[in-house]
């Protein structure tokens, strides 16, 4: 991906009403198997997110962490939630 494309994607995301820019103040370091994944956990914690959506197995360790409790949904689970919400309308 070129720098220009990445810049355009970031700009598009920041302009979306569905996106909130979060600056995490905590570095929880909960995922030891892939330290790069921790930035997403830190953002989810700082944003008080309901859950993280990922099929990455490294996030499975979060099931064993009592605090902070950060739920992880697989993509199929998340899509199922979206579909069930659509059926309620």
């Amino acid at each position: 991906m070129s720098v220009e494309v990445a810049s355009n994607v970031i700009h598009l995301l920041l302009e979306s009403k569905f996106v909130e820019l979060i600056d995490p103040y905590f570095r929880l370091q909960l995922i030891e198997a892939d330290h790069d994944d921790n930035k997403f956990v830190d953002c989810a914690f700082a944003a008080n997110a309901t859950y993280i959506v990922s099929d990455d197995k490294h996030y499975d360790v979060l099931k064993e962490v009592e605090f902070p409790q950060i739920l992880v949904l697989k993509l199929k689970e998340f899509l199922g939630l979206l579909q069930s919400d659509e059926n309620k309308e």
Side-chain angles (χ1 to χ4, degrees), residues 18-48:
F18 302 108
V19 174
E20 180 180 352
L21 179 62
I22 297 295
D23 187 14
Y25 296 100
F26 300 97
R27 304 291 183 249
L28 301 171
Q29 300 300 313
L30 298 176
I31 301 178
E32 293 182 19
D34 186 351
H35 292 282
D36 196 45
D37 289 340
N38 282 304
K39 63 185 171 235
F40 302 110
V41 176
D42 296 341
C43 282
F45 177 69
N48 198 27

Side-chain angles (χ1 to χ4, degrees), residues 76-89:
K76 279 188 173 184
E77 294 172 314
F78 180 68
L79 291 174
L81 281 177
L82 291 177
Q83 290 171 344
S84 69
D85 283 347
E86 285 178 357
N87 292 335
K88 290 179 184 176
E89 294 177 3

Side-chain angles (χ1 to χ4, degrees), residues 38-86:
N38 282 304
K39 63 185 171 235
F40 302 110
V41 176
D42 296 341
C43 282
F45 177 69
N48 198 27
T50 305
Y51 40 75
I52 293 174
V53 179
S54 177
D55 287 331
D56 186 335
K57 64 181 178 180
H58 295 131
Y59 289 92
D60 291 346
V61 70
L62 297 177
K63 295 175 186 173
E64 302 167 16
V65 176
E66 289 185 32
F67 181 84
Q69 187 175 28
I70 300 173
L71 302 176
V72 179
L73 294 180
K74 302 293 183 194
L75 183 55
K76 279 188 173 184
E77 294 172 314
F78 180 68
L79 291 174
L81 281 177
L82 291 177
Q83 290 171 344
S84 69
D85 283 347
E86 285 178 357

